Amino acid sequence: MLSQIRWFFLGSILHLTGLAKSAQQAYKLAVMAENVKKRIQQLRNEIREHDYLYYVLNQPKISDQQYDKLFTELRELERSNPSFITPDSPTQRVSERPLEGFATVRHAVPMLSMDNTYNAEELRAFDERVRKQLGSEDYDYVVEWKIDGLAISLRYENGELVTAATRGDGIVGDDVTANVRTIKAVPLVLFSDSKIPDVLEVRGEVYMPIPSFVELNKLRAEAGEPAFANPRNAAAGSLKLLDAKITAGRNLSFFAYATGELSKPLAANHYQTLQKFKKLGLPVNHEIKQAGTIDEVINICLSWGQKQPKLSYHIDGMVIKVNRFDQQDILGATGRAPRWCISYKFPAERAETTVESIDVQVGKSGILTPVANLTAVQLSGTTVKRASLHNFDELNRLNVGVGDTVVIEKAGEIIPQVIEVKAKAAVSVPFEIPTICPSCGSAVAKDEDGVYIRCQNPDCLGQLKERLKYFAGRGQMDIENLGVALIEQLVEAGLVKDLPDLYKLRKEDLIGLDRMGEKSADNVIKAIEKSYNQLFARVIAGLGIRHVGGQSAQILAEHFGSFGELMGADEQTLAAIDQIGPIMAKSICEYVTNEKKRIEELLVYLNPQQPKLKRSNKLMGKTIVVTGTLENLSRQQAQQAIRQAGGKASSNVSKKTDFVLAGREAGSKLDKAQKLGVKVINEKQFLDMLGKGPS
Ligand code: IVH
């Protein structure tokens, strides 16, 4: 009534100024507008209600056509009355303008990862740890699917979605609000409830349902675009698009499974939180089970494994969570993962297929590896066409021949492997062990230890390509724009004959190569230049010295500080360094002697950086063994801290050991220390010794 009076006055004013014919007409218009507004509100509520029935309860009450009718009516009304449009309207999910890039968002509560188990025994060990920490208290678990998508944090303020951010590194993620708004399963406004916290961060998984994934890849194939390897990649790729209109067509969905920042508690435990989520209109996976004991958890895990193929979304295991929040708080988290939850991964999926041919690849140190080319087969959400056979002994042991039917397995998301021959082909062609290198045709020989066969030609181009790929790779020089295809071309064209040649490349050398224009050439040169000041440890690792991996490179870098010092060290000095040992020492000396020229040439361009380490002598002369899982430090970090404080980090417990620093699940080394009467310290005591509180 009040608003009608207001409109009446407004109508009168308009009349007086001559903009409306009469006060009565203005009044009529105002009433009409009010009715339109009401209808708009009614339609929005109805649409939200149907979204809820569809996405949260899984019980749609109307057909798609009826839903579309409501939606069209709303859109038309808003189109003719644009002043009534509000950002929370269901029509406003897709923003018209593409983004320039993604802003970053700092998570108020870090988004952690999760530790994994693979069998009942490991689940029992998890339960054992929980029980130990909770003492005599009773506790229970919640078991749910581990959805294989992409973690997202939704921030609702006063019930309205304000930000959606990816996990990123757990501390800072990307602001993907525009894209997440297009996901119909994500409510733009929560159902009002007086008890809803002003700030409510909802964590969950954005995923692509399998039918949408299959359809998307079909369309991409038709358009000549590369297929997504699995639904997770497709979901991640779709959320990272700058144009939300494309994301809107990708049919992503969402399940909520946890909270982040909350201005007040939502519930006392996880199970209640999930129920509350549903009431607020947030979709929660419908398979959630409470379990009173670890035996119940194990039964659920084992029985759910059979349901897996029937689901319309990809999962990569199950998640087991301690239910009560007060108990979750007691259990806390390590730097990486909470101690109150764990995932259970199903035994690796297997598939059968046929070996079409066997190739031999040459690696960076000349090792020849047989690789099976397979008839394409689906395995754990990816299409598999190749599988490593590791080495020729393994190939003989498996007795794999071309034409055979084999069982392949993908353990822990790694490269697929051939497990066994299921059936020999009628004419199975046995594989002949090569006597020459498949890349350069020169002679090969078996290693002294008798497992690997190596190409003996130091100038083999196949080896060179692999060495370059490794050198430029992520953990080494990290040269972003120097991909596999470009390396192949550079070698084929004779532009790069050894690692230092990369630094002699000029833009003009690159232009004219396949897919290489001005801009790309510029980017490659810039990326190479960026690696001039790479860390010393990474440069050592990049050389690909046999037996020297990233961790040993780190130890060498810390010990010597520069190539000058490293190259001056003899075998004995090297072997005496903790964790280097005689085999690595020999290999390093051989490399330095044979490849001196390569290192010197690289140093014309490179200026390897060695961060100054703060040294102390707090542990001078002490030999310390680190064992088990620490809370605040990785084992490498603890060992590094020991060395920086003048101590020796050893890996074997003996009478000469001064202390054993033991973390969680310390095993035989702790036993041995106790037997020998060696002092055992915990992480806190260790940090106290160094004069550092826990970080
Ligand atoms: S709870 C770890 N519940 O798994 C902190 N996570 O490997 C609490 N995930 O980044 C997460 N399904 O993206 C939780 N039902 C579920 C989940 C789930 C999938 C993902 C999540 C997380 C990753 C950790």
Side-chain angles (χ1 to χ4, degrees):
M1 186 64 197
L2 235 157
S3 68
Q4 283 180 6
I5 294 169
R6 203 172 62 225
W7 282 113
F8 183 79
F9 278 114
L10 179 66
S12 310
I13 292 162
L14 291 177
H15 172 70
L16 288 175
T17 53
L19 285 172
K21 282 205 180 111
S22 70
Q24 196 146 24
Q25 197 179 356
Y27 173 70
K28 259 193 208 156
L29 279 173
V31 170
M32 265 167 64
E34 197 70 353
N35 286 342
V36 166
K37 204 171 174 184
K38 264 195 211 142
R39 177 68 185 149
I40 284 179
Q41 206 47 51
Q42 191 184 17
L43 284 165
R44 286 178 186 169
N45 287 341
E46 264 184 62
I47 290 170
R48 280 182 198 130
E49 180 68 22
H50 289 300
D51 284 343
Y52 172 73
L53 289 166
Y54 186 88
Y55 293 105
V56 181
L57 299 188
N58 238 337
Q59 287 164 356
K61 279 215 180 108
I62 56 172
S63 67
D64 285 359
Q65 286 90 328
Q66 286 168 306
Y67 180 92
D68 289 345
K69 221 171 129 208
L70 294 175
F71 205 90
T72 313
E73 186 186 343
L74 174 61
R75 208 177 28 224
E76 289 310 317
L77 282 178
E78 286 181 343
R79 198 169 281 162
S80 21
N81 300 274
S83 63
F84 292 158
I85 298 177
T86 55
D88 64 359
S89 170
T91 58
Q92 301 303 302
R93 284 189 173 271
V94 188
S95 88
E96 285 299 310
R97 259 177 303 133
L99 298 172
E100 302 259 309
F102 296 109
T104 51
V105 175
R106 180 166 282 272
H107 300 299
V109 176
M111 294 179 80
L112 299 179
S113 54
M114 212 185 291
D115 288 333
N116 300 322
T117 61
Y118 296 90
N119 52 45
E121 201 183 309
E122 289 172 356
L123 279 173
R124 282 187 212 285
F126 163 71
D127 180 56
E128 204 52 49
R129 295 196 293 275
V130 169
R131 188 178 2 214
K132 246 192 211 157
Q133 263 197 279
L134 293 183
S136 54
E137 278 188 39
D138 260 359
Y139 56 93
D140 65 329
Y141 290 113
V142 175
V143 186
E144 55 199 46
W145 287 125
K146 186 166 189 298
I147 315 295
D148 196 13
L150 172 85
I152 212 89
S153 186
L154 307 176
R155 189 178 173 91
Y156 288 91
E157 286 178 4
N158 303 314
E160 263 182 47
L161 176 68
V162 289
T163 325
T166 60
R167 176 171 181 270
D169 62 3
I171 308 289
V172 176
D174 282 333
D175 183 337
V176 287
T177 315
N179 287 341
V180 169
R181 284 175 61 94
T182 69
I183 304 172
K184 291 222 186 95
V186 172
L188 298 177
V189 272
L190 298 175
F191 283 131
S192 57
D193 169 333
S194 56
K195 288 185 228 101
I196 166 176
D198 298 346
V199 174
L200 167 57
E201 261 182 28
V202 178
R203 303 249 160 111
E205 201 84 351
V206 167
Y207 66 94
M208 185 175 286
I210 295 171
S212 315
F213 166 71
V214 172
E215 179 64 22
L216 172 63
N217 268 353
K218 209 172 103 204
L219 291 176
R220 287 175 75 84
E222 281 163 14
E225 291 166 4
F228 282 111
N230 53 46
R232 176 168 23 94
N233 288 3
S238 305
L239 269 196
K240 293 285 169 65
L241 293 164
L242 291 171
D243 188 349
K245 276 196 225 135
I246 307 180
T247 311
R250 291 284 171 90
N251 200 17
L252 296 171
S253 200
F254 173 75
F255 283 129
Y257 53 60
T259 49
E261 189 186 1
L262 292 174
S263 54
K264 65 176 185 198
L266 201 61
N269 66 38
H270 178 62
Y271 194 80
Q272 283 171 11
T273 302
L274 297 180
Q275 307 313 315
K276 186 87 194 197
F277 275 170
K278 286 196 236 174
K279 286 202 182 116
L280 296 174
L282 289 155
V284 171
N285 190 282
H286 54 279
E287 288 193 274
I288 306 281
K289 269 240 151 76
Q290 281 180 286
T293 63
I294 196 67
D295 284 330
E296 267 182 67
V297 167
I298 292 168
N299 279 339
I300 297 170
C301 288
L302 296 178
S303 66
W304 279 19
Q306 276 129 40
K307 297 186 188 185
Q308 182 183 4
K310 298 191 196 91
L311 297 173
S312 63
Y313 42 85
H314 210 247
I315 50 130
D316 61 340
M318 299 170 69
V319 183
I320 296 98
K321 300 174 180 171
V322 169
N323 192 18
R324 272 168 50 183
F325 290 146
D326 58 338
Q327 294 179 330
Q328 289 189 2
D329 289 343
I330 294 173
L331 290 160
T334 65
R336 210 186 76 83
R339 279 194 221 96
W340 46 263
C341 84
I342 198 105
S343 80
Y344 168 75
K345 300 263 183 124
F346 296 120
E349 228 184 277
R350 293 181 167 195
E352 276 179 30
T353 182
T354 314
V355 176
E356 294 187 345
S357 61
I358 296 176
D359 283 346
V360 177
Q361 287 180 344
V362 57
K364 69 180 193 301
S365 57
I367 295 179
L368 303 190
T369 307
V371 178
N373 291 313
L374 308 165
T375 307
V377 63
Q378 279 302 113
L379 181 62
S380 314
T382 58
T383 309
V384 176
K385 288 189 199 146
R386 283 161 82 76
S388 169
L389 291 161
H390 301 290
N391 57 58
F392 298 97
D393 285 355
E394 173 74 357
L395 190 140
N396 276 339
R397 188 188 68 76
L398 290 166
N399 188 20
V400 182
V402 173
D404 295 352
T405 305
V406 290
V407 177
I408 58 166
E409 178 182 294
K410 217 159 124 194
E413 309 270 314
I414 328 174
I415 317 152
Q417 329 222 350
V418 174
I419 300 299
E420 60 181 8
V421 173
K422 182 81 188 206
K424 290 299 279 178
V427 252
S428 168
V429 184
F431 188 75
E432 303 266 335
I433 295 180
T435 50
I436 56 165
C437 168
S439 173
C440 68
S442 41
V444 298
K446 220 171 193 187
D447 271 7
E448 277 164 29
D449 63 8
V451 177
Y452 294 112
I453 293 178
R454 276 179 213 266
C455 162
Q456 304 292 309
N457 172 13
D459 300 321
C460 167
L461 293 190
Q463 285 185 51
L464 173 61
K465 287 177 190 168
E466 295 306 313
R467 270 204 297 278
L468 287 163
K469 286 178 205 167
Y470 184 76
F471 181 75
R474 281 252 183 110
Q476 295 71 248
M477 300 304 281
D478 197 14
I479 308 179
E480 240 176 61
N481 299 42
L482 196 60
V484 174
L486 178 57
I487 289 177
E488 305 250 335
Q489 287 190 70
L490 291 171
V491 173
E492 304 285 338
L495 286 164
V496 174
K497 296 197 170 72
D498 196 359
L499 305 182
D501 295 340
L502 283 176
Y503 294 96
K504 297 177 195 158
L505 287 172
R506 290 160 310 149
K507 194 168 144 189
E508 302 82 81
D509 298 328
L510 300 176
I511 292 174
L513 294 178
D514 220 16
R515 296 204 206 155
M516 189 60 70
E518 282 267 332
K519 184 129 192 274
S520 329
D522 255 342
N523 289 340
V524 173
I525 298 289
K526 272 193 203 133
I528 294 176
E529 284 172 357
K530 219 171 113 189
S531 74
Y532 284 171
N533 295 319
Q534 189 50 278
L535 294 172
F536 181 35
R538 280 166 164 258
V539 183
I540 301 177
L543 296 175
I545 305 171
R546 214 191 277 184
H547 305 297
V548 180
Q551 201 186 322
S552 318
Q554 183 72 41
I555 294 172
L556 292 169
E558 273 172 36
H559 191 96
F560 292 105
S562 73
F563 268 113
E565 295 290 318
L566 172 62
M567 288 162 80
D570 60 16
E571 210 174 311
Q572 235 182 343
T573 314
L574 284 161
I577 301 172
D578 185 34
Q579 294 182 64
I580 296 296
I583 298 177
M584 224 190 288
K586 183 164 180 254
S587 167
I588 297 166
C589 279
E590 275 174 10
Y591 190 95
V592 169
T593 316
N594 300 336
E595 314 296 347
K596 194 161 180 237
K597 195 173 136 258
R598 177 184 296 151
I599 300 177
E600 284 171 350
E601 249 192 89
L602 277 173
L603 291 179
V604 171
Y605 305 93
L606 302 182
N607 180 19
Q609 301 294 305
Q610 175 57 23
K612 282 258 174 307
L613 299 174
K614 262 203 220 141
R615 299 208 169 265
S616 75
N617 49 13
K618 294 203 163 114
L619 299 176
M620 189 55 82
K622 303 273 185 241
T623 302
I624 302 173
V625 173
V626 187
T627 181
T629 312
L630 303 174
E631 307 294 301
N632 297 290
L633 300 170
S634 70
R635 198 173 302 180
Q636 285 80 24
Q637 285 170 326
Q639 289 167 341
Q640 192 178 353
I642 293 169
R643 288 192 293 272
Q644 280 172 32
K648 182 170 177 243
S650 166
S651 41
N652 294 317
V653 181
S654 74
K655 278 195 186 140
K656 286 190 200 144
T657 310
D658 291 287
F659 308 108
V660 168
L661 164 56
R664 223 168 8 95
E665 285 163 68
S668 59
K669 290 184 190 172
L670 178 59
D671 295 344
K672 195 164 173 198
Q674 281 159 347
K675 234 181 253 163
L676 294 175
V678 172
K679 187 170 176 191
V680 177
I681 55 168
N682 65 23
E683 188 173 355
K684 183 171 177 311
Q685 292 166 310
F686 174 67
L687 292 170
D688 286 346
M689 275 181 180
L690 295 174
K692 296 178 188 173
S695 52

